[in-house]
Amino acid sequence: MPQDNRRHPPARAVDRRGFLGLTAAAGAAAVLSGCTGGSAGDAAGRPRTGGRLRAAFSGGGAAEVLDPHETDLYAEIARAKAVFDKLADYGSDMSPQPRLAERWEAAPDLRTWRITLRQAAFHDGRPVRARDVLYSYARITAPRSTFRAKASLSVIDLPASREVDDRTVEFRLTRPYAEFPNALATLGAYIVPEGTTTFDRPVGSGPFRFVSFTPGRTFLAARNPDYWDGAPYLDELEIVVTNDEAARVNALLGGQVEYAHDLTPTSARTHERTGRIRVHRLPLSNFHGLAMKTDRPPFDRPELRQALFHLVDREELVRSVLQGSGQVCNDLYGKGYRYYADALPQRSQDLDRARALIRQAGAEGMTIDLDTSDASTGLEEAALTISDQARQAGLKLTVRLGNKDTYWSDISRNGVLAGYRSGAMPLESHIAQRLLSTSTTNNTRWQRPEFDALYHEAQSTSDEARRAELYFRMQEQLYREGGFLWWGVSDWIVASAPTVGGIDDRAPANTLDWARFDRVWLA
């Protein structure tokens, strides 16, 4: 995130009073509620064509854009994937799935990759060509650009890459990269026609064609009958914006929309049993944890990091903070994803072990600031709960509420302990972006040459079994003494009218089949 150097009010201490009663009741309700949405196809019947689906998202007001390379908000991402395509996208296990790329092939040195494009066309009839791909990636990685996909695509040596023919691109990379297709699938890596500089009337190759757009209010698109992956069922897709969750739910209940994005567990439980809406809990979508800076006291002592691993009660956090809409993690990112080290034993709270480690670290009676914010749902509540749990082990964590507008950049630079949250991404991307000595968002300051060497060895081998072994060894290091403590992963909750079919309940947010409106129909 861009840094904001303006002066802000000092962080304030937070009191947990009143929070326990609320979450205890919510947790009990979560246990009672065992109903999930499932695929909406059973209520909506067999797929049929026609109609306009109206989908409500939160948004960014007048600052919203249609430039697919600037996508940041969920509403912007949903609009971009309706109009544009990427070469690849992430499947439900975060493995890359071919999209505009029909196939990919690596040279033995894993530094040259040849991509064969599908026979696809832009909405104005022009074919999608290799030069469109090269232009799009050059635009994303331009020196002054701040596009999200820039970091992932910067591994490409674009001057050395080339158009073999209209449907073949040869990428030359700056280093061996066995999982280069992850970069092709990264958020914002959309393909636009060569020469595109404005997006007031965007032309893409996606399942819907642009009709109209009012920033912060509404977006309308129509079926692309010539879509390479099959024409959508819907005639039209309308995305409307409101930042008020209750307003989105009420619009769904009142029939003003047929799809509402981002519901709280409380709203979902309240309304799903009535039969008026269908709730879809998209698993493994948001990871929740703590970031400990390993390069400064007191968390430069591995014993203190280990003490936190043992003092946290993950089950209580899932029950109270996530209100049962999620599952415990094991201090590692990427539960359920490709290469995840699920063979490591699941940790549970062990206060005796935590106290012993605190003594070894010389931290008995120590007071440590725990930074948090209301920048993300549950972030503040998690900090309050963990503070209570730490007190049982003899460690005092003073919860400080930071400025929500600058929280992520603030905790990157300052402090020693902070609440953290992450959406879905491949395990490889998590490591590359956050855990290498050269990573630009290394918020735990985890810098281990031997760890870096394991990652680069993994990217230098085409042997899948060997790569899995190397990932396991990296995760073993993080499990023993890393700076991230991932305590839980929550569902992403959306809801639909009972007449909506085709919503995939297995797809985490930001994956291929999330907000996949070209596969949705109205009964």
Side-chain angles (χ1 to χ4, degrees):
M1 289 189 176
Q3 295 184 0
D4 188 336
N5 295 317
R6 294 173 295 177
R7 180 173 294 178
H8 298 291
R12 59 180 174 86
V14 180
D15 190 317
R16 197 183 183 207
R17 187 178 306 162
F19 172 63
L20 280 175
L22 172 64
T23 55
V31 173
L32 292 172
S33 175
C35 178
T36 59
S39 173
D42 52 34
R46 296 174 63 84
R48 60 180 293 273
T49 59
R52 175 189 291 190
L53 178 83
R54 298 162 297 179
F57 283 74
S58 60
E64 290 179 355
V65 298
L66 289 178
D67 185 337
H69 300 153
E70 288 191 40
T71 53
D72 189 42
L73 305 170
Y74 280 118
E76 292 173 335
I77 298 167
R79 288 191 291 256
K81 74 187 299 181
V83 176
F84 299 93
D85 280 309
K86 296 184 287 186
L87 294 184
D89 211 338
Y90 298 127
S92 296
D93 67 347
M94 300 310 298
S95 62
Q97 307 296 311
R99 298 301 292 157
L100 279 178
E102 187 173 70
R103 61 182 179 272
W104 46 70
E105 182 180 7
D109 67 357
L110 298 175
R111 293 187 59 162
T112 301
W113 285 75
R114 183 164 286 199
I115 312 295
T116 302
L117 301 177
R118 298 186 189 275
Q119 290 186 329
F122 291 111
H123 299 151
D124 59 6
R126 287 179 288 171
V128 177
R129 305 158 301 171
R131 66 188 67 177
D132 300 309
V133 173
L134 292 169
Y135 172 82
S136 299
Y137 283 11
R139 182 175 188 265
I140 292 169
T141 59
R144 294 187 180 181
S145 88
T146 57
F147 298 134
R148 179 191 285 260
K150 182 176 183 177
S152 297
L153 296 179
S154 291
V155 70
I156 301 172
D157 182 352
L158 275 173
S161 301
R162 67 191 182 102
E163 169 194 358
V164 177
D165 56 44
D166 273 356
R167 291 183 53 214
T168 311
V169 187
E170 187 175 270
F171 287 114
R172 186 70 179 165
L173 310 185
T174 58
R175 60 172 172 81
Y177 192 5
E179 294 181 90
F180 176 58
N182 283 344
L184 309 180
T186 197
L187 191 65
Y190 293 96
I191 306 306
V192 302
E194 182 184 24
T196 301
T197 57
T198 61
F199 294 90
D200 50 341
R201 295 194 64 82
V203 172
S205 61
F208 293 94
R209 295 173 172 172
F210 172 81
V211 175
S212 63
F213 175 55
T214 303
R217 293 185 60 189
T218 185
F219 163 87
L220 182 63
R223 174 197 290 126
N224 174 11
D226 303 316
Y227 187 46
W228 63 266
D229 199 21
Y233 297 116
L234 300 170
D235 287 334
E236 294 177 312
L237 168 66
E238 182 179 8
I239 295 176
V240 299
V241 170
T242 174
N243 287 335
D244 187 280
E245 188 257 359
R248 294 194 296 276
V249 173
N250 287 334
L252 180 59
L253 291 169
Q256 286 82 42
V257 301
E258 291 78 34
Y259 177 100
H261 193 254
D262 191 9
L263 270 66
T264 66
T266 301
S267 291
R269 284 194 309 274
T270 299
H271 298 292
E272 69 181 323
R273 291 189 176 186
T274 67
R276 298 175 64 191
I277 67 172
R278 291 185 62 83
V279 171
H280 309 268
R281 292 181 172 85
L282 313 182
L284 306 176
S285 290
N286 281 300
F287 289 83
H288 304 259
L290 295 175
M292 302 172 275
K293 285 196 166 54
T294 62
D295 67 336
R296 62 190 69 171
F299 291 105
D300 56 345
R301 294 292 300 269
E303 298 90 346
L304 190 57
R305 302 197 296 273
Q306 293 162 10
L308 263 67
F309 292 148
H310 288 285
L311 69 80
V312 167
D313 185 339
R314 296 158 188 79
E315 288 79 8
E316 183 193 359
L317 285 161
V318 169
R319 183 173 59 252
S320 62
V321 177
L322 305 185
Q323 299 181 34
S325 189
Q327 52 188 294
V328 298
C329 283
N330 199 23
D331 303 330
L332 295 172
Y333 180 85
K335 184 172 185 175
Y337 294 170
R338 190 182 188 196
Y339 300 124
Y340 178 73
D342 53 10
L344 292 171
Q346 174 64 53
R347 281 198 180 108
S348 58
Q349 187 183 49
D350 186 341
L351 293 176
D352 289 338
R353 180 65 177 144
R355 293 185 190 103
L357 287 163
I358 290 169
R359 285 195 298 271
Q360 289 179 34
E364 285 183 290
M366 183 178 289
T367 298
I368 302 170
D369 288 334
L370 168 53
D371 292 315
T372 189
S373 168
D374 54 2
S376 292
T377 302
L379 206 63
E380 180 182 344
E381 293 84 352
L384 293 166
T385 302
I386 292 170
S387 175
D388 276 0
Q389 294 173 356
R391 192 173 298 114
Q392 299 174 55
L395 197 63
K396 183 178 180 182
L397 302 182
T398 301
V399 178
R400 301 192 308 171
L401 191 67
N403 185 297
K404 68 178 182 180
D405 295 326
T406 60
Y407 177 70
W408 301 109
S409 59
D410 290 343
I411 65 168
S412 175
R413 298 188 304 267
N414 307 316
V416 295
L417 178 65
Y420 208 79
R421 181 173 175 175
S422 173
M425 65 175 63
L427 186 59
E428 178 273 324
S429 301
H430 167 67
I431 291 172
Q433 295 177 22
R434 296 169 175 162
L435 292 166
L436 300 181
S437 300
T438 55
S439 295
T440 55
T441 53
N442 190 336
N443 286 330
T444 64
R445 302 297 193 270
W446 175 260
Q447 296 178 327
R448 302 290 189 276
E450 68 279 10
F451 184 91
D452 297 352
L454 289 172
Y455 170 81
H456 289 298
E457 184 180 350
Q459 296 311 311
S460 298
T461 179
S462 57
D463 185 327
E464 184 78 13
R466 175 60 178 162
R467 195 179 315 128
E469 176 190 343
L470 293 165
Y471 274 120
F472 186 84
R473 289 170 59 187
M474 282 183 268
Q475 290 173 89
E476 275 188 313
Q477 286 190 29
L478 298 169
Y479 182 78
R480 289 196 307 268
E481 56 175 331
F484 277 121
L485 187 164
W486 298 102
W487 55 259
V489 55
S490 61
D491 305 331
W492 191 265
I493 304 177
V494 302
S496 66
T499 54
V500 176
I503 295 174
D504 191 332
D505 286 355
R506 301 163 299 174
N510 283 346
T511 59
L512 170 62
D513 292 319
W514 162 84
R516 184 88 189 269
F517 295 118
D518 59 313
R519 290 294 176 263
V520 167
W521 68 89
L522 295 171

